[in-house]
Amino acid sequence: MAAIKVHGNPLYTASARVLACLFEKGLEFDLVLVDVRSGQHKAESFLSLNPFGQIPAFEDGDLKLFESRAITRYIAHEYADKGTPLVVSGTGKEMAVQSMWMEVEAHEYDPVALELVKELALKPFLGMQSDPAVVVVEEEKLGKVLDVYEARLTRSKYLGGDAFSLADLHHLPSLSYLMNTRVKELFESRPLVSAWVADILCRPAWCKVMEMRRAGNEVHGSPMSTATCRVLATLIEKGLDFEFVNVDMRSGEHKKPHFLALNPFGQVPAFEDGDLKLFESRAITQHIAHAYGDKGTPLVFPGKEMATVSVWMEVEAHQYDPAASKLLWELALKPFLGMQTNPAVVAEFEPELEKVLDVYEARLSKSKYLGGDCFTLADLHHLPSLNYLLRTEVKKHFDARPKVSAWVADITSRPAWCKVLEMTSPK
């Protein structure tokens, strides 16, 4: 076990800053993933490492540090003889210049960059609307900072001098997000800034950080997609970290080559778990449930119990979902999109749904859940369509069956599903 431990998450800019520094120095370390979604950073065990409840926290033997820039400075000085020199030795003029540009990054560049990351990268990722007024103000501020950088880079290759240093490295985490947004144009319109960005983003140490970011689970989908929400619910039930990559279906992004490489049918979601790529939401949920069987909520079981769960998973997919999906389209999505509901389709599929719910009522008189006495994928798979149907006139069919009604109330109130709704609801 390495003496150095980083408690954090590579998706977060401050954690990534520390990881980049460690990779530049070629140091061995252990990454202890902190589940921010579940509030692990506010637990007493983490607060003993960082009393502000923010990631990262850092341990080097008996030394405990927090604040990412303080950590990188410690690493750069303490391990000066290792890897890439990131600070000038001594306290002379060169170090003073480096320190000045490190301060510029922290107090002039970063506050603006983080606002833009929030508005242009994180909010769309969470299905929230960016605030155009904030973006305009912060873009203007960023432009002014980059003008100063352009002037500085006429005199040296890097901000701190002629060698790459912490003054440059500290920019990398926010740059990696901003260069995937419209503000990329602000960097590219300044030739020297553009060359500097291209240089530091392709450093091998930073590429390793990006590999760590991609090493976990990625869900490519849309917040409105029932199939996407099925996968999100499973990941949250299992307590797994994941990255949600929003696919803009209005612009046809799901039909473009980069997405078709993940799902050749051009449908959401697509899923990545390291080098494994999957599509079809129920196949994805089964992979998650089996591959991470020791995590979070048990959603599948061995032997005969699993055979029963599988029966009701198939019932959901082939008996319940065809009718539910038709009714969802006609009664929920069409009105939302300003389209007219087709009464003939509703009249055809409402009785089909009722037949299924009669079978469910009988089944639920024998067990608390469809697959047995525990919540499983057989129940979870219903949640996304239920979310829409319970807001329509067909809610009466669920309410009219006492066992079904109790089951619906139970599964739709699960904390994991509530998190999915919070994550995907328009803000």
Side-chain angles (χ1 to χ4, degrees), residues 66-79:
F66 51 90
E67 293 297 334
S68 65
R69 293 174 182 84
I71 297 168
T72 61
R73 287 177 179 173
Y74 163 76
I75 295 166
H77 285 287
E78 182 67 15
Y79 297 97

Side-chain angles (χ1 to χ4, degrees), residues 148-159 192-193 196:
V148 175
Y149 282 19
E150 185 74 5
R152 168 60 182 168
L153 294 167
T154 63
R155 296 191 288 276
S156 61
K157 184 176 181 181
Y158 297 99
L159 290 178
L192 296 176
V193 168
W196 167 73

Side-chain angles (χ1 to χ4, degrees), residues 166-203:
L166 289 182
D168 309 289
L169 181 148
H170 285 176
H171 291 77
L172 285 167
S174 58
L175 277 175
S176 70
Y177 286 108
L178 291 178
M179 295 305 286
N180 291 310
T181 73
R182 74 186 214 184
V183 300
K184 180 181 180 185
E185 297 174 3
L186 295 176
F187 295 90
E188 292 183 337
S189 63
R190 294 161 173 86
L192 296 176
V193 168
S194 181
W196 167 73
V197 168
D199 182 328
I200 67 175
L201 281 176
C202 70
R203 291 186 68 82

